[in-house]
Amino acid sequence: MDNFVEGLSEVTCDVLVIGGGTAGPMAALKAKQKNPALNVVLLEKANVKRSGAICMGMDGLNNAVVPGYATPEQYTKEITIANDGIVDQAPVFKYASRCYDIIQELDRFGIRFQKNANGDFDLKKVHHLGTYVLPMPNGDTVKKALYRQIKRERILVSNRFMATRLLTASDGRIAGATAVNTRTAEFLVLRAKTVILCMGAAGRLGLPHSGYLFGTYENPTNSGDGYAMAYHAGAALANLECYQINPLIKDYNGPACAYVAGPFGAYTANSEGNRFIESDYWSGQMMQEFYNELQSGKGPVFLKLNHLHADTVGEIEEILHKVERPSRGRFHQARGTDYREKMIEMHISEIGFCSGHSASGVFVDEFARTTVPGLYAAGDMASVPHNYMLGAFTNGAVAGEHAAEVALETDLPDFDSEFVKAERKRVLAPTRREDGIPPNQLEYKTRRLVNDYLQPPKVTARMRIGQARLAEVRDDLETALVARNAHELMRSLEVSSILDCADMAAHASLFRTESRWGLYHNRVDYPKKDDDNWFCHTLLRKVDGRLVSEKRPIQPYIVPIENEERTAYDRLRVSNQA
Amino acid sequence: MPLAFSPTTVPVVVDEAKCIADKGCTVCVDVCPLDVLRISDLTGKAHMKFDECWYCMPCEKDCPTGAVTVNIPYLLR
């Protein structure tokens, strides 16, 4: 295993789904159900059984819009306000209207959600305004339940193939993708009528404080490959300057508090044990308050549970230590930290792109269509803000159904064989060198530069230096990167995605000359929010081989927002403290 | 520029007495999202070949004989 094998094969299908984590299996399932005659291929870098952000499971739905608790209108309003108004509401409203069907479908798959004594879904309030959090007591079964459905529908699964670039036809339509085997480096051309990208977040962009490359908040397999592929295919990417930064248990890099422990009475506190934010729901504004407290004389910040009854803490541990990130209990055990005894130190994560928690992603409309005809995106890499796991499932379903319809009325597009030849040469270049720089060093340097120059507070001159230093790393990547086996080749290609994402982060951040979304886009030399000039999306795309950003107007709201509601998320700091 | 070998203490540990990889089992290798486990040519047992771990635990949870233990990587501990 891992030795190089020369090989070039070609596969043809109707719908190609890239990424077998959360959105991908659902997209493949819905495409096949829409038309069982279609040939649907699900391509995955790891193994669909245990791949992606939810490889171990998930402890709850963070954004369930369930009748009796919330309406699609209320949810759309909350997400619009939480994102400083920079939202096309149509895809959010579509999600909010559709997600209850998906919850019921997942329930039928055997992923049970918490119900009260009457048998109704038992939702908890965590957001600033509405009630949307639904616990999943057996959330460790998610991947297995999905896998059963994939097998039942006879979706063709191709594991251990990493997609490298998208193919487009002479008229600009999507035509398929190229991929490389992660254990043999054999090259694969996949021709398709429609392609759905479900490749997760760009979670390996910043470097965690521990210095361990893989100790990231996101599953580090989500290295931004989808963002990079969409960019190189000419698709527009939205609001990349709106980074993802999350509050975490210091060093462990697992999510901490709000959605699981919050409803039980736990909260985020400063070193004096006092609350300093009104709502623990993750927003840029909340992260700015978190950052301010962290840097202040009352820092650092802690997760506080030691005021709760021991039985309550036990119940929280049962969820936190068993479902989404079960190694958390082991981390605390080794540190000798017990939630019952003292507060647990928290910190903020490295930066990343992820619409699951934030808003940056490949631009999509309410049918999950990107700006490239025939190309779709869903989940953490698509631009539907704060869409979380349920958004990945729901928008994956939307993408699968639409892509199936379009595939039916499309002939297999042609593709450029010269492009494939050049791409194969690019992909395999690190394997052709005898000597050079290994991917782990190139990756460390790239991500260290991201921390030093691109993470907020953002400063113009610093980001420009960062761009120059990253360009030097790119020269090394193109001329000296060496891979001694197929596994290192996978890592080499991931570094290439990480570097592309770093360049996009810098470019997008420099374009928007204002501050917005709290800490996510805190530009110190443009400290004010500037609605006159910047109440708009920014779209970034590749034009003639270069990064180009432009403004895009926000589509007229479907759900109107009153003036006094607009600033609700700007008032998160506990008022008697300030 | 020749490459050096830098040692690291790996987070995933396999109990070779319990591991049945020599009987054809590849479960832990298959389920790792980061593909960092391999079966050793020398011992026929599973081991962590690449120190690139998210300590997510499918390898431990899905192992049919309880041979795999996931520790927190040293730098985070």
Side-chain angles (χ1 to χ4, degrees):
Chain A
M1 203 185 276
D2 304 324
N3 293 329
F4 299 129
V5 179
E6 284 291 330
L8 174 62
S9 345
E10 193 178 300
V11 168
T12 297
C13 61
D14 296 301
V15 180
L16 170 63
V17 182
I18 308 180
T22 312
M26 188 59 101
L29 215 54
K30 290 294 168 185
K32 191 76 179 172
Q33 284 169 353
K34 186 89 190 172
N35 184 349
L38 288 179
N39 185 1
V40 179
V41 170
L42 178 57
L43 192 79
E44 166 58 47
K45 185 161 74 166
N47 185 314
V48 174
K49 272 185 190 168
R50 286 289 199 183
S51 56
I54 60 165
C55 65
M56 271 312 274
M58 187 50 70
D59 45 31
L61 299 177
N62 297 331
N63 51 346
V65 185
V66 173
Y69 288 96
T71 63
E73 286 80 6
Q74 282 170 333
Y75 177 80
T76 303
K77 189 183 273 193
E78 175 115 24
I79 294 304
T80 305
I81 299 168
N83 283 283
D84 270 347
I86 311 297
V87 170
D88 279 356
Q89 288 186 337
V92 177
F93 191 80
K94 174 90 161 262
Y95 157 78
S97 312
R98 181 83 196 272
C99 72
Y100 185 54
D101 290 343
I102 299 289
I103 295 172
Q104 291 170 305
E105 186 160 16
L106 294 171
D107 207 54
R108 285 196 297 275
F109 287 177
I111 307 161
R112 292 192 310 274
F113 299 96
Q114 191 154 307
K115 291 181 180 142
N116 59 25
N118 299 326
D120 299 325
F121 289 124
D122 183 16
L123 279 90
K124 312 284 182 195
K125 183 173 185 316
V126 171
H127 291 60
H128 200 28
L129 306 174
T131 300
Y132 309 104
V133 172
L134 179 57
M136 296 164 62
N138 74 338
D140 55 331
T141 61
V142 179
K143 285 295 285 188
K144 285 201 167 126
L146 272 180
Y147 195 67
R148 275 198 303 274
Q149 300 300 323
I150 291 294
K151 290 277 120 182
R152 179 173 299 162
E153 294 288 348
R154 291 200 274 280
I155 311 284
L156 184 63
V157 174
S158 195
N159 290 319
R160 305 291 171 198
F161 270 98
M162 177 180 184
T164 66
R165 285 288 183 266
L166 290 164
L167 300 174
T168 45
S170 47
D171 62 356
R173 261 203 91 69
I174 202 72
T178 54
V180 67
N181 189 291
T182 63
R183 291 188 174 158
T184 62
E186 287 166 282
F187 203 75
L188 178 65
V189 178
L190 297 117
R191 300 183 64 188
K193 296 173 181 171
T194 52
V195 176
I196 308 173
L197 299 176
C198 304
M199 300 170 72
R204 234 156 85 203
L205 186 50
L207 185 66
H209 292 269
S210 65
Y212 189 64
L213 288 174
F214 294 77
T216 46
Y217 168 74
E218 293 291 340
N219 185 332
T221 193
N222 293 334
S223 45
D225 308 330
Y227 286 78
M229 279 172 54
Y231 167 74
H232 288 292
L237 294 100
N239 303 318
L240 295 178
E241 64 279 17
C242 180
Y243 295 165
Q244 166 180 233
I245 304 167
N246 295 327
L248 305 164
I249 299 294
K250 176 84 163 60
D251 295 339
Y252 178 72
N253 265 25
C257 178
Y259 309 139
V260 174
F264 290 93
Y267 56 89
T268 309
N270 59 25
S271 63
E272 295 171 354
N274 292 323
R275 262 182 215 271
F276 59 94
I277 35 178
E278 299 258 8
S279 166
D280 280 330
Y281 178 66
W282 293 1
S283 62
Q285 295 84 341
M286 179 275 197
M287 280 309 306
Q288 183 65 55
E289 296 298 350
F290 193 112
Y291 178 83
N292 292 348
E293 201 75 359
L294 204 55
Q295 303 295 330
S296 80
K298 291 179 183 171
V301 171
F302 296 87
L303 170 60
K304 183 165 165 53
L305 288 90
N306 59 353
H307 57 292
L308 301 175
H309 190 276
D311 291 351
T312 307
V313 176
E315 207 177 325
I316 296 169
E317 280 178 341
E318 187 67 18
I319 306 168
L320 286 180
H321 299 175
K322 289 221 167 128
V323 184
E324 187 182 343
R325 300 295 327 268
S327 55
R328 180 201 302 254
R330 247 161 242 193
F331 171 80
H332 287 307
Q333 203 177 10
R335 285 266 174 111
T337 41
D338 187 327
Y339 298 143
R340 291 165 194 78
E341 288 163 13
K342 54 181 183 181
M343 304 193 295
I344 309 294
E345 188 186 355
M346 291 175 72
H347 203 72
I348 59 175
S349 72
E350 66 284 348
I351 68 160
F353 296 147
C354 174
S355 68
H357 308 87
S358 174
S360 42
V362 175
F363 180 82
V364 291
D365 66 7
E366 65 270 35
F367 297 104
R369 289 181 293 198
T370 71
T371 56
V372 172
L375 180 66
Y376 298 76
D380 279 349
M381 64 167 289
S383 66
V384 186
H386 294 213
N387 80 129
Y388 290 95
M389 179 179 75
L390 188 56
F393 281 134
T394 306
N395 298 326
V398 168
E401 285 164 0
H402 201 279
E405 273 177 31
V406 170
L408 203 60
E409 59 202 33
T410 305
D411 294 327
L412 190 68
D414 59 345
F415 71 99
D416 180 356
S417 56
E418 284 305 308
F419 175 87
V420 169
K421 207 192 256 178
E423 173 59 4
R424 190 174 178 215
K425 197 173 167 202
R426 180 193 76 90
V427 165
L428 297 178
T431 71
R432 308 291 194 225
R433 296 186 186 110
E434 294 290 321
D435 193 8
I437 304 166
N440 59 322
Q441 275 189 307
L442 254 168
E443 178 172 344
Y444 185 92
K445 190 162 180 175
T446 303
R447 293 172 60 190
R448 197 268 295 172
L449 292 171
V450 167
N451 279 22
D452 284 355
Y453 294 102
L454 303 186
Q455 73 181 356
K458 303 178 187 177
V459 179
T460 303
R462 192 182 289 141
M463 288 192 283
R464 291 203 192 285
I465 298 171
Q467 286 180 311
R469 299 296 322 275
L470 288 166
E472 294 163 14
V473 177
R474 184 173 290 281
D475 283 344
D476 295 338
L477 182 132
E478 284 167 2
T479 58
L481 180 58
V482 64
R484 296 169 299 175
N485 54 52
H487 183 83
E488 287 186 356
L489 179 62
M490 168 170 67
R491 294 286 177 252
S492 301
L493 294 164
E494 288 171 347
V495 179
S496 165
S497 301
I498 293 166
L499 192 55
D500 285 342
C501 289
D503 282 345
M504 289 193 269
H507 194 272
S509 293
L510 283 163
F511 182 64
R512 187 183 281 275
T513 49
E514 64 153 0
S515 285
R516 193 173 286 273
W517 303 296
L519 183 64
Y520 298 161
H521 186 62
N522 177 355
R523 274 195 82 170
V524 186
D525 39 345
Y526 296 93
K528 292 241 161 47
K529 193 192 286 183
D530 176 5
D531 278 340
D532 291 342
N533 292 301
W534 289 104
F535 192 77
C536 59
H537 300 286
T538 65
L539 292 188
L540 182 155
R541 64 180 105 209
K542 186 177 179 180
V543 179
D544 298 330
R546 296 173 63 87
L547 299 142
V548 174
S549 284
E550 62 180 358
K551 295 182 182 183
R552 180 184 199 275
I554 290 164
Q555 297 303 300
Y557 287 162
I558 305 167
V559 182
I561 311 286
E562 302 299 327
N563 259 338
E564 60 270 25
E565 291 174 318
R566 277 175 202 271
T567 54
Y569 271 75
D570 292 338
R571 297 190 299 267
L572 283 173
R573 179 157 280 270
V574 171
S575 52
N576 60 7
Q577 252 223 306
Chain B
M1 293 171 287
L3 302 181
F5 171 72
S6 302
T8 64
T9 172
V10 297
V12 175
V13 181
V14 178
D15 182 340
E16 294 199 352
K18 289 185 186 166
C19 176
I20 52 168
D22 50 349
K23 309 248 185 336
C25 179
T26 59
V27 168
C28 62
V29 178
D30 292 342
V31 298
C32 175
L34 289 147
D35 204 16
V36 298
L37 304 177
R38 291 290 180 270
I39 311 296
S40 164
D41 291 336
L42 285 174
T43 61
K45 305 291 183 178
H47 71 115
M48 187 172 209
K49 184 172 177 188
F50 307 99
D51 180 10
E52 301 165 337
C53 184
W54 195 46
Y55 35 100
C56 54
M57 293 174 61
C59 55
E60 177 177 322
K61 184 121 193 233
D62 294 351
C63 173
T65 63
V68 181
T69 304
V70 176
N71 297 302
I72 303 294
Y74 178 71
L75 294 182
L76 282 65
R77 234 179 272 164

